[in-house]
Amino acid sequence: MSLRLPLLSSLLLLSLPAFAATQKVDLDYRVRFLPDSDQAEVSITLEKGERVRSLDFNLSDDGRYSDFETDGQWSQEVAGRGKWQPGKGKSVLSYRVQIDHERKSGRYDARMTKDWVLLRGDDLVPAAKLDQQDKTELVSRLQFDLPKGWKSVETGWPRIGKNRFRVDNAQRKFDRPTGWMLAGKLGTRRTRLGDTEVAISAPVGEGMRRMDIMTFLTFVWPQLQQVFPRDPNKLLIVGAGDPMWRGGLSAANSYYMHADRPLVSENGTSSLVHELVHVFGRIYGRERSDWIAEGLAEYYAIELVRRAGGISEERYQKIREQLIDWSKPVNSLRTDHATGPVTARAVLLLQELDREIRQKTKDKGNLSLDDVTRGLMRLDRVSTQDFIDITENVIGGPSKTLDTRLLR
């Protein structure tokens, strides 16, 4: 008996890692677009539903989501929220989503026609609070069923098959297919810049200048990489003409630009680079500090083109004069939503700060605002005080530029 007990204990110990190992669970999204009803039919399938206790979705209150069906349990006890408790084994939740969405009257940031659809995946699968068993890892994939005559679909996620993509966000446990998406009769240009696969896509006939964008990106990309040490696996740029919103909107792996937006505006800034900085930087403000994210995006929209040789010193000074004139009414940068004049004043402050950092760090290897920006990238959200602290750490002391009523 004394010999068998140690042997049994050893066998139990050897088997423990198997019980403690993480279980991977397939999570499959399937999307079918329905142009006749301006809807998408979405299904979410868990291969082992018992590993997930619940998904508590934020459905908002605009009535966009409807027709929920599941073999598990579905409840909507709180306004604007819906909770799915999957059944055991293979479990499915299906519902419908209204596509068209007006950002402003007559201007859309999501739209479906008989030939194409342009939207954000964030709307197909709303954000949710995930409650799952310990040591569970969801492995997510996205599949599209396209209407007859629609040729292709593009997302910011890696393609793993025909109309099929792998969705993997290391920062989240619930991998949902976020970012811009486009499907239908499309024209797409592709290239590889650094370690990033770049796709520029738009519906046929919408006037998107794909080759112009690709050439401009190739020109600016090396400068971008020097500032932002982050190379996404894939970047998708989508666009369309009226009545889509006449601006730019970024997501983590993609961004939208109206087809009529110039690569460089008459005021010398580039909306294309502005949104690209948002994608790479992922810098978000908190505590009335939106000036940081918007100011940096606009600062580099000028600066990266300048470094690439696209802006002469004379033109740069004229751009500064325009920024000074535009931002004259601004007496504070502190706001939750930076306006054009506030962003312009933030750019001027950042230009002054870059000069101060370079001057004060000559003996440290000529540091710059780039070093502050890389520090900000490590934070989830940044406040004005975070910005000041990181700057002072780079300089090695207080900043005269940041000692201003604009930041109070």
Side-chain angles (χ1 to χ4, degrees), residues 20 128 177 247 264 269 308 327 378 406:
V264 180
T269 66
S327 63
R378 299 188 181 99
L406 289 169

Side-chain angles (χ1 to χ4, degrees), residues 176-325:
R176 64 190 184 108
T178 55
W180 287 95
M181 299 178 180
L182 181 64
K185 299 175 182 178
L186 311 180
T188 304
R189 295 285 186 179
R190 306 180 194 278
T191 190
R192 177 167 286 276
L193 297 174
D195 294 326
T196 302
E197 175 191 344
V198 179
I200 304 163
S201 187
V204 173
E206 288 293 307
M208 192 77 167
R209 299 178 178 88
R210 302 172 188 83
M211 282 302 298
D212 290 4
I213 293 172
M214 184 178 292
T215 302
F216 191 75
L217 283 178
T218 304
F219 177 67
V220 174
W221 201 270
Q223 306 301 326
L224 183 78
Q225 286 187 301
Q226 288 185 15
V227 180
F228 301 95
R230 179 180 285 155
D231 290 324
N233 291 327
K234 186 176 178 182
L235 171 68
L236 172 66
I237 302 173
V238 300
D242 293 340
M244 293 299 293
W245 191 68
R246 298 182 68 86
L249 297 166
S250 61
N253 55 6
S254 54
Y255 64 97
Y256 158 85
M257 290 290 300
H258 190 277
D260 287 348
R261 293 294 297 175
L263 299 180
V264 180
S265 302
E266 287 296 319
N267 63 6
T269 66
S270 171
S271 296
L272 186 75
V273 180
H274 181 109
E275 298 303 328
L276 196 61
V277 170
H278 280 312
V279 172
F280 272 73
R282 301 179 198 172
I283 296 170
Y284 307 100
R286 64 183 177 92
E287 298 176 9
R288 296 167 52 241
S289 298
D290 191 45
W291 71 270
I292 299 172
E294 291 303 318
L296 284 170
E298 193 71 352
Y299 168 83
Y300 284 113
I302 299 167
E303 184 64 20
L304 295 181
V305 179
R306 182 191 186 198
R307 293 180 190 179
I311 297 177
S312 67
E313 185 60 29
E314 180 182 4
R315 173 56 55 188
Y316 178 72
Q317 294 305 326
K318 287 183 178 179
I319 293 171
R320 278 183 50 81
E321 290 172 7
Q322 292 173 333
L323 292 172
I324 291 169
D325 185 60

Side-chain angles (χ1 to χ4, degrees), residues 3 38 99 101 159 273 328 339 390:
L3 291 173
D38 183 38
I99 300 297
H101 182 264
R159 190 182 297 273
V273 180
K328 279 181 180 178
T339 62
I390 291 174

